[in-house]
Amino acid sequence: MNKVAPLLQLQGISIAPKNTPARLLVKQVSFSIAPGETTCVVGESGSGKSLTALSIMGLLSKQLCLTSGQVLFNDGHSGEQDLSKLDQAALRKIRGAKIAMIFQEPMTSLNPVLTVGYQIGESLTTHLGLKGEALQTKIASLLSMVGIPENRANSYPDELSGGQRQRVMIAMSIACEPCLLIADEPTTALDVTVQAQILTLLDELKTRMNMGMLFITHDFGVVADIADQVVVMFRGEIVEAGSKQQVLQHPQHPYTKALLACVPDAEGKKPLKPIDYAWLAESQTQVQAQRKVPS
Ligand SMILES: Nc1ncnc2c1ncn2[C@@H]1O[C@H](COP(=O)(O)OP(=O)(O)OP(=O)(O)O)[C@@H](O)[C@H]1O
Ligand SMILES: [Mg+2]
């Protein structure tokens, strides 16, 4: 259970294509994130992790919609707001300022014809009105915070390595000191050493800024490193949620057990077991049937 009042509470979020609203891609997802805590959402490809994250910020594609649920956000200053009720203009003021997102592939999120310094500066000007020398000083301090030499502010994205580009994305996302950072597989495209550096950096920033973090991954090694809370998704639904210790050491659901069985041990000895989906689907049906039985 979270110790402090939640920053974000998803309550019964369901997502479906607009033209087939009965075909739910995400079903009744509920979890919360507290300030200074990392909630990891894990699950295999297609389990609904990204759609859940995108729905928080009103960034679902035009073919999709929320069919139920609330996205309650409370930064501790402006009272509780249901983000799912806000229009795009109101959401734009929150995006980048109070809630920031980092995506998997930095090259698709960075503009190739603008310097990284300019791109880091954009949200500082938009949200905080910074200009001139104050702006340049802030850009330099953000770059050094993420471990990039200040003179790289004048570089273009293709002049940086993959790890450096992802650091630039982190500098952009934390520029306005958001209270919530949503990171969707931000290290998947990077090699393990750089991945470890980025995870350490995000963890440090989370602690330093008391940020809440929603971290999406399919990698239990990452979960073991940075999670406080863990949410496991399977076919659009949460099948298990709890503290990192509960979920990793005492998994209850067959899907979590199957995912954990796929993780090699420290010496890489454990053979990777393929997941038996027919059996899992059957177990899931049984779990749902049990839920419907009145206690
Ligand atoms: N615009 C869309 N229209 C219809 N279906 C979609 C759309 N976007 C995603 N989906 C479907 O919704 C499901 C969940 O997708 P989502 O991107 O959330 O998965 P994910 O858990 O993030 O997977 P990955 O680990 O591969 O990123 C998938 O079955 C996907 O095909
Ligand atoms: Mg995804």
Side-chain angles (χ1 to χ4, degrees):
M1 220 172 78
N2 294 328
K3 294 167 283 297
V4 228
L7 195 57
L8 184 81
Q9 291 180 76
L10 297 192
Q11 292 187 342
I13 292 292
S14 296
I15 301 168
K18 281 181 185 156
N19 57 6
T20 48
R23 190 169 74 86
L24 296 182
L25 300 167
V26 168
K27 296 168 215 162
Q28 292 292 328
V29 162
S30 304
F31 62 86
S32 59
I33 300 175
E37 275 198 356
T38 299
T39 295
C40 276
V41 177
V42 259
E44 64 180 346
S45 187
S47 55
K49 306 181 298 294
S50 293
L51 292 187
T52 302
L54 290 168
S55 71
I56 295 170
M57 295 297 299
L59 292 172
L60 287 173
S61 80
K62 289 201 171 62
Q63 301 90 37
L64 303 176
C65 63
L66 277 185
T67 58
S68 70
Q70 292 187 306
V71 181
L72 302 177
F73 176 64
N74 189 344
D75 66 0
H77 302 294
S78 332
E80 191 171 79
Q81 284 180 296
D82 182 354
L83 301 184
S84 70
K85 302 274 185 304
L86 299 185
D87 61 21
Q88 285 298 324
L91 283 170
R92 264 196 300 277
K93 284 195 189 140
I94 295 179
R95 260 183 233 139
K98 292 180 177 175
I99 304 180
M101 281 192 83
I102 318 176
F103 298 96
Q104 181 170 343
E105 189 18 79
M107 214 39 202
T108 53
S109 314
L110 289 170
N111 188 331
V113 299
L114 298 172
T115 65
V116 296
Y118 182 89
Q119 294 185 66
I120 293 171
E122 268 181 331
S123 72
L124 291 166
T125 307
T126 309
H127 295 294
L128 305 182
L130 285 190
K131 287 186 194 135
E133 206 167 311
L135 178 64
Q136 296 314 319
T137 309
K138 182 74 182 170
I139 293 170
S141 89
L142 281 162
L143 281 173
S144 81
M145 202 189 269
V146 296
I148 294 192
E150 294 170 16
N151 61 6
R152 299 313 295 263
N154 298 322
S155 301
Y156 291 90
D158 67 352
E159 293 168 343
L160 301 176
S161 71
Q164 286 174 323
R165 285 198 285 265
Q166 199 55 297
R167 285 165 189 268
V168 167
M169 287 301 299
I170 293 170
M172 283 168 73
S173 65
I174 60 167
C176 299
E177 306 202 356
C179 38
L180 176 65
L181 181 65
I182 301 173
D184 191 352
E185 312 230 22
T187 57
T188 311
L190 306 173
D191 72 48
V192 281
T193 324
V194 182
Q195 172 170 335
Q197 289 166 357
I198 301 273
L199 291 178
T200 307
L201 172 64
L202 283 172
D203 208 40
E204 275 170 19
L205 291 171
K206 176 201 81 168
T207 309
R208 198 186 314 170
M209 294 162 47
N210 199 32
M211 227 168 36
M213 190 148 72
L214 172 60
F215 197 102
I216 295 175
T217 179
H218 55 262
D219 183 341
F220 270 104
V222 171
V223 175
D225 273 351
I226 62 160
D228 296 300
Q229 303 290 320
V230 183
V231 170
V232 185
M233 288 187 73
F234 175 57
R235 298 194 176 171
E237 287 183 79
I238 294 181
V239 292
E240 182 154 5
S243 69
K244 171 168 74 179
Q245 204 187 11
Q246 274 166 359
V247 175
L248 293 194
Q249 292 177 11
H250 308 288
Q252 299 296 310
H253 193 277
Y255 180 62
T256 317
K257 290 179 187 171
L259 281 180
L260 282 165
C262 294
V263 181
D265 66 16
E267 289 160 10
K269 277 186 194 148
K270 204 173 195 172
L272 294 179
K273 286 191 210 158
I275 295 180
D276 180 347
Y277 287 101
W279 172 77
L280 262 176
E282 176 64 18
S283 316
Q284 177 64 356
T285 314
Q286 284 171 9
V287 170
Q288 278 167 348
Q290 281 164 11
R291 275 194 205 140
K292 283 179 192 132
V293 175
S295 52

